[in-house]
Amino acid sequence: MQDTTSMLIELGSVIFALGLLGRLAGRVGFSPIPLYLLAGLAFGHGGILPLNASEEFIATGAEIGVILLLLLLGLEYSASELVTSLKTQYPSGAVDFVLNAVPGAIAALLLGWGPVAAVALAGVTWISSSGVIAKVMRDLRRLGNRETPVILGILVIEDLAMALYLPILTALLAGLSLAGGTLTLLISLGTVGAVLYLALRHGRLISRAVSSDNAEMLLLVVLGLTLLVAGVAEKLQVSAAVGAFLVGIALSGEVAEGASNLLTPLRDLFAAVFFVFFGLSTNPADIPPVLLPALALAAVTSLTKVGTGWYAARRAGIKPPGRWRAGGTLVARGEFSIVIAGLAVGTEPRIGPLATAYVLILVIVGPLTARFTEPFARILGSFLPARAPAPPPAEPAEPAAPAEPTEPDPAHAGG
Amino acid sequence: MGLTARIRQTPLPGIGVRYDLETEAGQHLSVIVQEDGRRVLALRDPQDDDSCKDTIPLDSDEAARVAQLLARDPVAYLHQHLEIDLVTEHIEITGRSPYTGRTLGATQARTRTGASIVAVLRRTAAFPSPTPDFRFATGDTLVVVGTREGVDAVAELIAGG
């Protein structure tokens, strides 16, 4: 009885505080993710207002939050969109992976964290935040721009790659043997392939089976199905998040639209709980020591993302200004870096504070680089004597890139 | 229909679909259809044809109104040639309507008002030319064609007047 009461009071204050923070973020026109993380830090062990009674509830809520994040991500895409993006943009996806995952892996090895943490940190630095980036492109009114489909294509490939990456990471974290890991990977590859095939060929049938005119029934069926599939996937060591993502992919058309309308508020609630939970499990005292590595990693991976966007846009025949815009837009990391770190934190606790600091920096810097990379590159270009680096040759322009987002980085991360 | 304008279609995964039109006069117009129903009009920047000079976000009502203005209205065309004053209107069946859960035949709409219910739009599907035994549900939207007076009379009938 006592426990229930104090749980309600704690939970109420946490959610209320999140609501106020979210409103504040909306006022300023920023993503609320950094504020949620900070709130989690404040409520956690070693924070300003440690919680006791509601931790268990928040932990469960966080789990549901990850599942809903991936379900809605899956609902956003249709199987044919995934296949088209994969067909046309796989070289950019590969460049994206190499340029952005490798720095994370190297950083973890340099810090002496071992190979498993290296795989996890590689994921943290690799995946851009689709949520933040889509919002930034709307806010900057760039939906009509020619580089926009290129940027979205990269995000799609990253999200699809998550369906392979997460099971591998889960297997590694669980310490499975090579044989066990391979089996897990094969299961997940098979499942992803089967779901894509089913969704492409029989998407209508699946959707019709789930469809209902009644909002309540639709909500219960889709939520129930997702949790069930996520649970089974987890049992098979494939990762609950991937199961949820695949359910999202399999649903299409009217059902997907209805379900995402119904589930978006739920996702927002539980995703906020998830970010808080992640902050909760990080001791704020652990952050200052990792601040320098996080800043360095943020600076390097901002540059590599700009390089990725530049390359991808160039492949699509877009002129230099658009290439810079594409690069700057991709810098933001957010929800999925935290999801990956959240999975890894049980095995390698040191990844928590680093990922928190890293995401805090890039979720704030990302929208700024999206806005200012192109003007900055232009100004820089006008200072260079001969205008050789700007137009056709690809490689000479690269030296201009490193100088560029380093400038906004420290300036804005500090303030 | 002899639609000769070439419109290119680009999927924007997670956001919607973009339609690009190169006009006869050589200008570029994009319409972005977002998944949430909102529309964005965008004009290319002649200085940098990869980016947009201006974009105009429209909510779904605004977009529908603009579309009405842009499209050649088939009813107005009839009006010009046949000298009858036909209008088309969407009438929703609310929970308070006496016909929610009853059939189209029960309304006797055509006999009583002269206007026709030519389609019923439901969240899951559209039903063109519903038969008299078609059963209405709350939230259905009726597409009614008739004279101004006739359509208004159907609206009143459905609302329970």
Side-chain angles (χ1 to χ4, degrees), chain A residues 352-391:
Chain A
L354 181 60
T356 310
Y358 177 79
V359 168
L360 280 176
I361 294 166
L362 284 187
V363 85
I364 292 168
V365 169
L368 296 170
T369 56
R371 171 77 186 77
F372 294 112
T373 300
E374 187 231 318
F376 194 87
R378 207 171 46 222
I379 293 167
L380 210 67
S382 69
F383 278 121
L384 293 175
R387 46 192 302 274

Side-chain angles (χ1 to χ4, degrees), chain A residues 76-77 81 138 141 143-147 149 152 156 212-213 254 318-319 321 325, chain B residues 10 12-15 18 32 34-35 44 48-52 55 57 122-124:
Chain A
E76 264 182 20
Y77 300 136
E81 277 173 346
R138 276 200 187 106
R141 306 192 154 196
L143 292 185
N145 286 18
R146 280 199 28 219
E147 77 271 9
L152 292 169
V156 172
S212 166
D213 259 354
E254 200 77 46
I318 287 160
K319 294 194 214 62
R325 281 193 300 269
Chain B
T10 317
L12 299 180
I15 291 178
R18 190 175 79 205
I32 296 131
Q34 292 188 209
E35 277 161 5
R44 279 284 153 80
D48 169 9
D49 63 4
D50 291 327
S51 83
C52 291
T55 59
R122 192 165 280 182
R123 204 177 58 76
T124 45

Side-chain angles (χ1 to χ4, degrees), chain A residues 283-294 353 357:
Chain A
N283 189 338
D286 293 341
I287 290 195
V290 295
L291 208 52
L292 268 180

Side-chain angles (χ1 to χ4, degrees), chain A residues 76-304:
Chain A
E76 264 182 20
Y77 300 136
S78 67
S80 57
E81 277 173 346
L82 289 178
V83 172
T84 322
S85 295
L86 205 57
K87 268 190 198 148
T88 55
Q89 304 233 28
Y90 68 92
S92 308
V95 166
D96 179 34
F97 169 70
V98 171
L99 283 183
N100 297 292
V102 170
I106 292 177
L109 293 175
L110 283 180
L111 290 165
W113 290 0
V116 175
V119 173
L121 200 58
V124 172
T125 57
W126 172 21
I127 308 289
S128 298
S129 165
S130 352
V132 174
I133 290 171
K135 182 178 179 322
V136 164
M137 286 198 299
R138 276 200 187 106
D139 291 350
L140 293 177
R141 306 192 154 196
R142 288 191 185 160
L143 292 185
N145 286 18
R146 280 199 28 219
E147 77 271 9
T148 298
V150 177
I151 296 169
L152 292 169
I154 290 187
L155 295 180
V156 172
I157 294 182
E158 283 182 359
D159 292 337
L160 191 59
M162 288 278 280
L164 297 181
Y165 169 82
L166 285 179
I168 298 177
L169 182 66
T170 325
L172 285 173
L173 289 170
L176 289 185
S177 64
L178 190 62
T182 316
L183 182 67
T184 307
L185 187 60
L186 285 179
I187 292 178
S188 79
L189 261 177
T191 325
V192 173
V195 167
L196 278 182
Y197 174 81
L198 276 177
L200 276 174
R201 286 289 153 90
H202 307 291
R204 287 183 154 278
L205 274 178
I206 303 173
S207 300
R208 202 176 308 152
V210 176
S211 173
S212 166
D213 259 354
N214 187 321
E216 189 182 334
M217 301 310 151
L218 185 65
L219 177 67
L220 292 179
V221 167
V222 173
L223 188 63
L225 182 69
T226 307
L227 293 179
L228 192 67
V229 171
V232 172
E234 183 93 348
K235 257 258 154 21
L236 295 173
Q237 302 272 11
V238 178
S239 146
V242 172
F245 181 64
L246 292 177
V247 172
I249 300 283
L251 298 179
S252 62
E254 200 77 46
V255 178
E257 202 180 303
S260 67
N261 287 340
L262 288 168
L263 287 165
T264 301
L266 264 187
R267 191 259 329 247
D268 294 343
L269 171 64
F270 284 106
V273 169
F274 166 72
F275 290 121
V276 169
F277 177 72
F278 187 79
L280 274 184
S281 45
T282 307
N283 189 338
D286 293 341
I287 290 195
V290 295
L291 208 52
L292 268 180
L295 268 173
L297 199 55
V300 170
T301 55
S302 297
L303 297 181
T304 52

Side-chain angles (χ1 to χ4, degrees), chain B residues 57-79:
Chain B
L58 302 170
D59 71 24
S60 31
D61 284 350
E62 292 161 348
R65 288 295 295 169
V66 172
Q68 267 179 9
L69 294 176
L70 292 177
R72 213 167 27 178
D73 181 358
V75 177
Y77 179 79
L78 272 183
H79 169 63

